[in-house]
């Protein structure tokens, strides 16, 4: 089948799409989205038509719904939901891409999409399955590497705490910390996640933040305190972690997922600890560390190839499941990277 035939075939198909139609007030829900049908787009000069195979669901997409949000692009009501995907090239009008190539791009919550060749990247599906390029070999993996090694500068022999430890970013952070010779303590929701983090991902300990004596349990898991906090959660979890930080500890503030669905953000009670213990707190946005992308990817790919870095995924089946899967991911129903399988 040549490329022309493929496009004729797809032109008969409808393009299932999910639009963002209502701004949430508090928790986001499926009612904030609408399923619509569009045409399969036709690529123009320099463009590539892709059939999306996997869609990535990420906490920043909830931030995009916050009025007046900084740093992420706000979502437009009525527009197709923005989102990263991996998929297969059906037709290319760009010299660097061929039919059958697998690529990564911001194609959004839809089955088919068109982008310019400069906006997408080829992925190597012989190294890892396509969905891994949205997780361990995608933005979450690179975020973990940059935040832990470049921002917090974790060193062998140090104790590292990581919150949302069973999630896409946290699960990679903990494994990189272990591979770097650190003692790593995860924080996650529920005993099952904690067990997985220790037994499957090799963390030295994991504490369930939902138990009443969380503070005491975290103290027990960090008898020598913590030198690094990789902060994914914020709120009361972060407040508790602050009490465990050692003098001159470093905090890489990656995310505040506990806050994204709140009408009003919570404050920090233990902020004085930053002063009292000479702590360094640095927020970071992975998009600003473009020069770290290639070294990070190189190392992550090596570890995956050698079987040193494990990755887990939670897979929802079908685009129509994306809204509920998005809500569920924010509520902690995912283990590892949350994706939606579209093909
Ligand atoms: N700075 C950057 O450039 C950058 C890049 C990527 C991601 N991030 C941030 O990194 C964090 C993790 O993202 P991810 O993609 O890896 O998502 P994820 O961890 O795979 O999924 C989100 C997780 O957050 C946890 N969570 C939700 N509400 C919580 C609460 N109230 N208290 C404690 N934990 C809660 C849940 O795990 P539990 O079951 O354990 O509660 C859930 O599984 C997010 O804050 C995200 O915004 C930042």
């Amino acid at each position: 089948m040549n490329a022309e035939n493929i496009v004729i075939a797809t032109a008969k198909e409808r393009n299932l799409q999910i639009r963002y139609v209502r701004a949430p007030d508090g928790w986001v829900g499926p009612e904030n989205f609408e399923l619509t049908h569009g045409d399969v787009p036709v690529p123009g000069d320099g463009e590539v038509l892709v059939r999306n195979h996997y869609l990535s669901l990420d906490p920043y997409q909830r931030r995009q719904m916050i009025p007046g949000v900084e740093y992420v692009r706000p979502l437009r009501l009525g527009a197709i939901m923005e989102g990263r995907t991996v998929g297969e090239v059906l037709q290319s009008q760009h010299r660097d891409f061929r039919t059958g190539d697998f690529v990564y791009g911001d194609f959004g919550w839809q089955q088919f999409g068109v982008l310019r060749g400069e906006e997408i990247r080829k992925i190597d599906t012989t190294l890892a399955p396509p969905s891994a390029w949205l997780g361990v070999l995608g933005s979450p993996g690179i975020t973990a590497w940059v935040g832990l090694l470049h921002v917090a500068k974790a060193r062998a022999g140090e104790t590292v705490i990581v919150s949302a430890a069973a999630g896409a970013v946290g699960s990679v952070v903990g494994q990189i910390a272990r591979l770097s010779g650190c003692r790593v303590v995860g924080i996650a929701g529920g005993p099952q996640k904690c067990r997985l983090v220790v037994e499957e991902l090799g963390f030295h300990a994991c504490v369930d933040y939902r138990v009443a004596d969380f503070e005491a349990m975290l103290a027990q898991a960090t008898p020598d305190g913590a030198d690094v906090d990789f902060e994914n959660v914020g709120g009361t979890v972060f407040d508790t972690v602050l009490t465990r930080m050692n003098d001159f500890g470093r905090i890489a503030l990656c995310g505040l997922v506990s806050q994204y669905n709140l009408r009003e953000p919570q404050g920090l009670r233990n902020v004085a600890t930053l002063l009292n213990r000479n702590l360094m707190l640095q927020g970071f946005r992975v998009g600003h560390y473009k020069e770290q992308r290639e070294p990070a990817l190189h190392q992550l790919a090596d570890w995956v190839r050698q079987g040193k870095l494990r990755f887990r995924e939670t897979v929802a089946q079908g685009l129509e499941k994306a809204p509920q899967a998005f809500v569920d991911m924010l509520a902690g129903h995912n283990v590892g990277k949350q994706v939606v399988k579209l093909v």
Side-chain angles (χ1 to χ4, degrees):
M1 185 183 272
N2 63 33
E4 210 177 324
N5 288 339
I6 292 171
V7 173
I8 289 165
T10 58
K12 287 182 191 146
E13 292 184 60
R14 300 293 283 154
N15 188 9
L16 206 60
Q17 301 169 321
I18 291 181
R19 292 173 188 274
Y20 171 60
V21 292
R22 236 161 268 118
D25 179 23
W27 263 90
V28 64
E31 67 281 4
N32 300 109
F33 304 93
E34 205 169 275
L35 192 67
T36 59
H37 292 85
D39 292 331
V40 176
V42 178
D45 194 28
E47 292 183 334
V48 176
L49 169 67
V50 166
R51 182 196 293 269
N52 291 320
H53 283 222
Y54 287 92
L55 165 68
S56 175
L57 301 180
D58 296 88
Y60 80 87
Q61 295 166 308
R62 176 62 187 86
R63 293 204 68 226
Q64 289 183 292
M65 300 171 185
I66 298 172
V69 67
E70 272 185 68
Y71 117 59
V72 286
R73 208 177 27 243
L75 291 173
R76 255 186 328 110
L77 287 180
I80 295 168
M81 263 299 284
E82 291 184 22
R84 302 162 179 155
T85 64
V86 287
E88 181 190 1
V89 173
L90 294 184
Q91 192 191 13
S92 174
Q93 301 276 19
H94 191 284
R95 63 180 186 286
D96 294 346
F97 297 92
R98 296 218 181 116
T99 302
D101 282 348
F102 267 80
V103 297
Y104 163 96
D106 284 320
F107 285 98
W109 292 26
Q110 56 181 343
Q111 288 174 306
F112 301 93
V114 156
L115 283 177
R116 296 196 57 75
E118 295 72 33
E119 296 172 306
I120 63 179
R121 276 196 304 273
K122 276 188 211 173
I123 59 171
D124 176 2
T125 54
T126 60
L127 171 60
S131 54
W133 294 88
L134 298 172
V136 65
L137 297 173
S139 177
I142 296 167
T143 302
W145 192 91
V146 167
L148 184 73
L149 302 180
H150 199 74
V151 177
K153 298 186 170 54
R155 294 181 294 263
E158 293 189 317
T159 296
V160 173
I161 293 181
V162 52
S163 49
V169 174
S171 59
V172 181
V173 172
Q175 293 183 83
I176 299 176
R178 176 175 50 75
L179 289 165
S180 306
C182 301
R183 177 167 191 278
V184 53
V185 177
I187 297 174
Q192 270 181 333
K193 281 194 180 184
C194 278
R195 224 176 359 259
L196 172 127
V197 156
V198 172
E199 291 173 7
E200 203 174 295
L201 304 180
F203 287 44
H204 296 90
C206 184
V207 182
D208 177 1
Y209 70 87
R210 293 183 181 162
V211 297
D213 57 348
F214 167 54
E215 189 165 352
M217 299 302 283
L218 187 64
Q220 203 178 313
T222 53
D224 301 322
D227 308 294
V228 167
D229 171 36
F230 192 106
E231 188 54 48
N232 282 322
V233 164
T236 52
V237 168
F238 184 29
D239 241 333
T240 309
V241 169
L242 280 173
T243 66
R244 300 306 305 151
M245 295 304 292
N246 291 332
D247 216 13
F248 289 100
R250 287 96 62 207
I251 299 161
L253 180 55
C254 175
L256 298 164
V257 67
S258 71
Q259 308 295 296
Y260 300 166
N261 280 294
L262 300 184
R263 290 194 180 95
E264 291 293 331
Q266 292 171 315
L268 281 179
R269 279 179 306 123
N270 295 322
V271 73
T273 313
L274 293 166
L275 169 64
N276 300 344
R277 300 194 190 157
N278 294 287
L279 302 182
M280 196 281 292
L281 167 68
Q282 189 182 332
F284 75 100
R285 293 143 57 175
V286 70
H288 276 243
Y289 291 80
K290 291 200 187 335
E291 69 291 355
Q292 300 298 326
R293 194 184 161 276
E294 283 313 314
L297 203 47
H298 185 76
Q299 173 121 68
L300 292 165
D302 259 359
W303 280 330
V304 167
R305 204 176 286 115
Q306 294 164 24
K308 290 183 176 171
L309 195 52
R310 292 184 168 198
F311 53 96
R312 276 281 206 128
E313 291 171 349
T314 301
V315 185
Q317 298 286 339
L319 185 65
E320 61 282 7
K321 298 281 171 48
Q324 187 60 53
F326 180 58
V327 180
D328 289 347
M329 178 271 295
L330 290 167
H333 295 204
N334 64 310
V335 174
K337 176 68 202 152
Q338 176 71 58
V339 294
V340 183
K341 191 170 186 320
L342 306 181
V343 173

